């Protein structure tokens, strides 16, 4: 029994959902998103300001798709109502980022600047951080959870945080496990 698949999806105020064959279209204040599903295995209906996702049988593949489709529809409803946001912090002397057109240009200790192009539908902003050790912060936002997460991961991948001094690009809520250097253990 899929516990996630059986949960109802409450509709946020200002969000409209239409089911047309094998496509669910979600429209909200921030934008529009679609989720495709297999109508032979999964059925989606809107009742009493809730979205019901049900499955046709109890086979393993159907149960897996049940929870997945429900989660995708829930993420689309949330994204069209509020948007998804990921904030990355850049830590290190001389490390910085800037916006050129739609692209993010990162100067993070390499001999050349690194340019990252955000995925379609994702907006990126760079601003000065209010945190003491952080040089600047990057805000990635959009209505598609996957695209926001993927763009943030591409930015972080340029210079992941290292465990000794913590220099690099990290998520705002990420905790970096610090290591002791060689000199700390000597007496």
């Amino acid at each position: 029994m899929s516990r996630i698949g059986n949960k109802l999806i409450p509709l946020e105020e200002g969000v409209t959902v239409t089911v047309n064959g094998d496509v669910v279209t979600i429209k909200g204040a921030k934008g529009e998103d679609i989720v495709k599903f297999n109508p032979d295995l999964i059925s989606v209906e809107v009742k009493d300001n809730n979205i019901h996702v049900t499955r046709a049988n109890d086979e393993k593949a159907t149960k897996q798709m049940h929870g997945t489709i429900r989660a995708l529809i829930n993420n689309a409803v949330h994204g069209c109502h509020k948007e998804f946001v990921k904030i990355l912090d850049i830590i290190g002397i001389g490390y910085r980022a800037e916006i050129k057109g739609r692209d993010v240009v990162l100067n993070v200790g390499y001999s050349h600047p690194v340019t990252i192009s955000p995925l379609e539908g994702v907006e990126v902003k760079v601003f000065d951080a209010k945190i003491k050790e952080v040089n600047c912060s990057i805000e990635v936002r959009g209505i598609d959870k996957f695209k926001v997460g993927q763009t943030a991961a591409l930015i972080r991948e340029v210079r992941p945080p290292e465990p000794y001094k913590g220099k690099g690009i990290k998520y705002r809520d990420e905790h970096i496990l610090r290591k002791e250097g060689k000199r700390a253990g000597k007496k």
Side-chain angles (χ1 to χ4, degrees):
M1 177 167 117
S2 174
R3 294 180 184 186
I4 291 178
N6 290 329
K7 291 172 86 175
L8 298 177
I9 303 170
L11 283 179
E12 305 284 348
E13 193 172 316
V15 176
T16 59
V17 176
T18 55
V19 181
N20 188 8
D22 65 341
V23 176
V24 178
T25 306
I26 299 102
K27 294 180 184 176
K30 301 293 182 179
E32 179 180 338
D33 202 359
I34 62 167
V35 177
K36 293 185 178 183
F37 64 95
N38 185 347
D40 297 334
L41 303 177
I42 305 293
S43 63
V44 179
E45 58 185 345
V46 180
K47 274 197 265 183
D48 303 328
N49 214 21
N50 289 316
I51 302 172
H52 299 270
V53 180
T54 55
R55 63 178 182 256
N57 55 44
D58 285 336
E59 293 178 15
K60 185 176 181 180
T62 308
K63 286 180 180 180
Q64 292 169 343
M65 288 307 298
H66 186 209
T68 301
I69 295 299
R70 190 260 176 212
L72 291 173
I73 294 171
N74 186 46
N75 288 340
V77 168
H78 177 80
C80 289
H81 180 65
K82 291 184 181 174
E83 284 190 319
F84 289 98
V85 178
K86 293 229 180 226
I87 298 177
L88 298 115
D89 292 328
I90 299 177
I91 301 168
I93 296 173
Y95 289 9
R96 63 186 182 280
E98 61 181 323
I99 300 288
K100 284 195 178 170
R102 279 196 74 230
D103 298 342
V104 181
V105 179
L106 301 168
N107 292 306
V108 286
Y110 296 120
S111 60
H112 59 283
V114 179
T115 304
I116 301 290
S117 298
L119 297 176
E120 194 65 38
V122 176
E123 183 183 329
V124 180
K125 292 181 187 172
V126 174
F127 53 92
D128 290 333
K130 309 266 190 284
I131 303 170
K132 185 179 177 184
E133 305 91 28
V134 178
N135 294 353
C136 67
S137 295
I138 303 170
E139 181 182 76
V140 182
R141 70 172 47 236
I143 63 170
D144 191 339
K145 186 175 185 177
F146 169 77
K147 289 181 180 177
V148 169
Q150 184 65 30
T151 302
L154 289 172
I155 293 171
R156 183 185 182 276
E157 189 179 77
V158 172
R159 177 72 80 172
E162 53 96 13
Y164 295 100
K165 294 182 181 177
K167 290 170 45 173
I169 302 171
K170 72 176 196 77
Y171 295 111
R172 169 81 40 100
D173 56 355
E174 181 181 11
H175 177 71
I176 306 300
L177 289 175
R178 294 294 182 88
K179 291 183 180 178
E180 255 181 51
K182 289 181 184 178
R183 310 272 291 151
K186 288 189 176 180
K187 294 199 179 192

